[in-house]
Amino acid sequence: MISVAMTTYNGEKYIRKQIESILNQSMKVDEIIVCDDGSTDKTVEILKEYPVTVYQNEKNLGYRLNFKKAMSLCTHEYTFLCDQDDIWEPDKVKTMIEIMQENPNIHVLASSFEYIDSKDNLILMKQKKNFSNNNLYPRFVKSEALVSVGFDEYLPMNYFQGCSLVLDKWIKDLVLKNFDDRLPHDWRISMIASSYQGMFFFNKALFKYRLHDNNSIGVEYLTQSTSEHIQKANSANIRMQNSANALIVLEDIEKVNPAFYASREKEFKNLKQFLVQHNKNLENKNFFGLLKQNTSPFYKLIKTKKARIMDLIFALKK
């Protein structure tokens, strides 16, 4: 009934703790599929000590295509995505599977998590007002509440790491059939599920997410200095990122869920026009064009009030 799709690359330092945390779950998993992306350390050697199925890639695929391969090799009704260096809480599988079974409308379920460092020490986060999921999700969700995540929320960015997700076979097969690596795999999974009203978030920490220098995808702002953040925010590419992402999301969903797209076709076409013009305004530092766009409700879909103000400041800096 339960598969785990794990990808590895030079993960010898932490892989034992991750594997053992999966094997020691209160609800047992039926298979652990590991796709190794060309490790040169002892990762594969360590994995062979455990009851897991290891596939070694002939060439390096990168994390997006490697997760696609791992998911495609999973054979059961539910698939958990898994990194090589986290630690699962003992009831993670049981808790999430019970929620999925009690709510058949859920196709993808994300949980929250706790940060740990390289020595397993907790990294405490000060919770921002109106945020949850360690400030990654800009919405207040009560502790242990289960909430639906809407499609529009996924236009500018993703909020839940792949290692927080479990997905049913229907959505897994749909994602694999329409795989596109322009966006991270976890973003596409959640975004597609949300278009079918099947993406949910359970606000309880069910695993420990490790932060260290070798994360393939880290949470960058935690280790980024203020000056680095400001410098990046003042680049046109960064300021255009949300709108560029939203254009990809709209293009993807038109192919993957045409009925949903058709139900909002006029709105989505107008949104596309807004996004294209927005990028032009940023590229040309068109202050008055951006000021005019601030009257559009589309701007609020892709950026916070603070980000909209920063766009205007960016346009004034010649």
Side-chain angles (χ1 to χ4, degrees):
M1 181 176 73
I2 303 167
S3 298
V4 175
M6 176 188 284
T7 62
T8 57
Y9 178 74
N10 288 347
E12 65 177 5
K13 188 172 181 180
Y14 305 110
I15 193 70
R16 288 186 188 277
K17 288 183 177 180
Q18 174 65 295
I19 289 292
E20 289 173 6
S21 75
I22 299 171
L23 293 174
N24 291 325
Q25 288 291 298
S26 59
M27 177 182 284
K28 301 303 181 185
V29 304
D30 297 288
E31 65 178 2
I32 301 175
I33 303 295
V34 184
C35 288
D36 184 79
D37 212 18
S39 291
T40 55
D41 64 2
K42 295 182 179 180
T43 298
V44 173
E45 183 180 333
I46 293 170
L47 285 168
K48 289 180 178 179
E49 298 175 14
Y50 295 95
V52 304
T53 304
V54 182
Y55 295 86
Q56 293 177 263
N57 298 336
E58 293 182 1
K59 63 177 183 178
N60 187 277
L61 298 178
Y63 77 91
R64 298 181 188 186
L65 292 177
N66 201 23
F67 261 112
K68 176 190 177 185
K69 179 179 177 180
M71 287 190 294
S72 71
L73 294 166
C74 291
T75 61
H76 292 287
E77 177 60 27
Y78 300 104
T79 299
F80 284 84
L81 304 188
C82 182
D83 288 348
Q84 66 183 5
D85 45 16
D86 301 331
I87 299 174
W88 287 12
E89 298 294 348
D91 290 331
K92 171 181 164 73
V93 170
K94 181 177 184 291
T95 300
M96 298 184 79
I97 292 299
E98 286 180 350
I99 291 173
M100 295 284 281
Q101 291 179 330
E102 291 168 4
N103 300 274
N105 58 311
I106 298 179
H107 295 300
V108 177
L109 178 64
S111 78
S112 191
F113 62 96
E114 293 178 311
Y115 287 117
I116 56 173
D117 63 18
S118 59
K119 297 181 180 179
D120 297 354
N121 298 312
L122 285 178
I123 301 173
L124 299 178
M125 293 288 294
K126 184 178 180 181
Q127 192 67 46
K128 293 181 182 178
K129 185 179 179 181
N130 298 323
F131 278 74
S132 58
N133 199 36
N134 293 283
N135 300 326
L136 295 180
Y137 187 33
R139 172 183 172 187
F140 173 73
V141 179
K142 290 183 180 179
S143 177
E144 299 195 27
L146 178 68
V147 297
S148 173
V149 186
F151 173 79
D152 289 358
E153 296 179 77
Y154 281 109
L155 284 166
M157 64 187 68
N158 186 31
Y159 308 102
F160 309 104
Q161 313 99 311
C163 54
S164 73
L165 305 180
V166 59
L167 47 154
D168 67 15
K169 189 176 186 301
W170 181 81
I171 205 76
K172 184 196 76 170
D173 291 344
L174 183 65
V175 168
L176 291 173
K177 181 180 178 181
N178 297 277
F179 197 84
D180 184 327
D181 65 356
R182 289 181 298 170
L183 293 175
H185 63 286
D186 45 10
W187 188 347
R188 295 199 79 252
I189 291 167
S190 299
M191 175 267 291
I192 291 171
S194 71
S195 75
Y196 287 95
Q197 295 78 51
M199 175 65 209
F200 282 73
F201 167 54
F202 180 55
N203 192 20
K204 183 176 181 179
L206 294 178
F207 68 102
K208 292 180 171 63
Y209 181 89
R210 191 182 301 279
L211 290 176
H212 56 87
D213 292 340
N214 296 322
N215 285 71
S216 60
I217 317 171
V219 183
E220 186 178 26
Y221 69 82
L222 285 177
T223 55
Q224 192 180 81
S225 70
T226 302
S227 60
E228 287 174 327
H229 177 77
I230 291 173
Q231 185 177 1
K232 287 190 173 185
N234 281 328
S235 71
N237 286 339
I238 292 297
R239 303 232 61 84
M240 290 190 289
Q241 194 170 60
N242 284 15
S243 44
N245 289 337
L247 284 167
I248 295 173
V249 168
L250 291 171
E251 184 179 329
D252 279 356
I253 213 63
E254 185 176 7
K255 297 175 183 176
V256 180
N257 192 349
F260 172 73
Y261 187 90
S263 71
R264 298 175 60 181
E265 185 171 12
K266 183 177 179 180
E267 176 190 357
F268 285 157
K269 283 185 175 180
N270 290 336
L271 175 56
K272 283 182 179 179
Q273 291 175 357
F274 172 90
L275 295 169
V276 170
Q277 185 59 50
H278 183 64
N279 283 349
K280 288 180 180 178
N281 287 337
L282 286 169
E283 192 170 12
N284 298 323
K285 292 196 169 184
N286 184 347
F287 175 86
F288 291 105
L290 291 168
L291 189 63
K292 182 179 179 181
Q293 285 197 313
N294 265 276
T295 62
S296 170
F298 291 143
Y299 215 155
K300 295 179 182 180
L301 281 179
I302 62 167
K303 290 185 180 179
T304 63
K305 182 179 180 180
K306 182 179 179 181
R308 299 196 299 272
I309 293 172
M310 288 296 296
D311 282 345
L312 294 172
I313 294 172
F314 167 77
L316 288 173
K317 291 184 177 180
K318 301 298 182 182

